[in-house]
Amino acid sequence: MSQVIITSIDIYRFSIPMEPFTIATGTMDHAQNVFIRIHTGKGFYGVGECSAFPMIVGETQDTCLAMAKDFAKLWIGKDALDIPARMQQLHDAAAGNTTIKSAFDIALYDIASKNAGLPLYKFLGGERRMVESDITIGIYTPEAMAKKAIDFKTSGAHILKVKLGKGAETDVERIKQIREAVGGQMKIRVDANQGWSFDDAVFALQAIGQYDIEFCEQPMRTWYDDRLPELMKLSPVKIMADESVYNHHDARMQINSGSCDYINIKMAKSGGILEAKKIHDTAAEKGIPCMMGGMLESRIALSAKLHFVYASPNIKFYDMDTCMLGHLVDPCIGGVTYNGYKLNISDAPGIGADADDEFLSKCELVTIK
């Protein structure tokens, strides 16, 4: 097989201003993203993007930029098509750092599918299907959240994802008011973002069970994972593992211990598509459906995620609304389009998305050769 040699890598500080967004672990007023272009000897490049969410994954934009420079140096002169070998280089160099690793991984898949002349989903053996995202309500007062829910319903949303985890009793009131506001037809799923203790989780889940909740993501801190099997037995609401599953080994342990009904896959946790597929396949073997989630990525990384969804039949839930959560600038050209809350993408080779050069001209840039 012919090689595609990496010649240089551009690393951009890719900050996207946004309306303040609050979850149980904190508030963010801009997306702390990094964008990379991996240039090749074939005259084309691959693009990747990641979104640092320090309260969840422990990486900041600055740590991502620092590690990106070290990682890029490892890849100059190497074959971009040998994705497992390239990613193993990064794992050998540094444990963790999954967020910035995901940007490098996505760029490799962009190169490989462009080299094959295929859209990424076809390169991965997938096919198109209807993908409709939920839309997320951040944590505010119960009244404000109920009003936001009505606004989303009016805009055509069918699925609400409600952030909880700041006071179990108030969380129950939040769900009560939202369900009363939108009626019985809308799907409601909740995400506690590790915000509850075990006792709070039992109380809240038993109390909101009457409101027809699709599932609850990550009710407790990961250090209480050993109590998840007990919580599963006490909860009328199905449990989705998020921060408890970074890789396919985590997925295996969560599933085998009876700790979750579903798993949320995020590129920022898995380190990209290569490991995300292993999580997906591990869950599929055990009959555990997955969700495609994310941090605060632009439509660049979102495009890669949609391609991955098309190639991943065990992904049954779609939390792919990050660009709709108050990004004040769209730095992407091409890529995913929204029709209401349904996602589509063209059949352009690769992920079919790139950064807008005008936006990039204002971003801090480091090039590794």
Side-chain angles (χ1 to χ4, degrees), residues 285-307:
E285 289 169 8
K286 301 287 189 175
I288 299 293
C290 295
M291 179 162 80
M292 187 77 248
M295 299 305 184
L296 294 170
E297 297 92 343
S298 78
R299 290 189 303 109
I300 297 169
L302 181 67
S303 298
K305 290 192 287 183
L306 182 59
H307 285 289

Side-chain angles (χ1 to χ4, degrees), residues 16-19 30-31 33 49 51 295-299 322-331:
I16 305 172
M18 59 182 293
E19 296 172 4
H30 72 281
N33 298 4
E49 181 202 13
S51 182
M295 299 305 184
L296 294 170
E297 297 92 343
S298 78
R299 290 189 303 109
T322 54
C323 314
M324 306 168 79
L325 291 178
H327 280 200
L328 300 176
V329 178
D330 181 3

Side-chain angles (χ1 to χ4, degrees), residues 9-12 34-38 45-50 68 75 100 102-105 107-108 354:
I9 299 178
D10 297 330
I11 303 163
Y12 292 89
V34 173
F35 173 73
I36 66 170
R37 281 177 173 161
I38 298 181
Y45 59 79
V47 304
E49 181 202 13
C50 66
W75 280 9
I100 188 58
S102 71
F104 281 78
D105 169 286
L108 290 184
D354 202 347

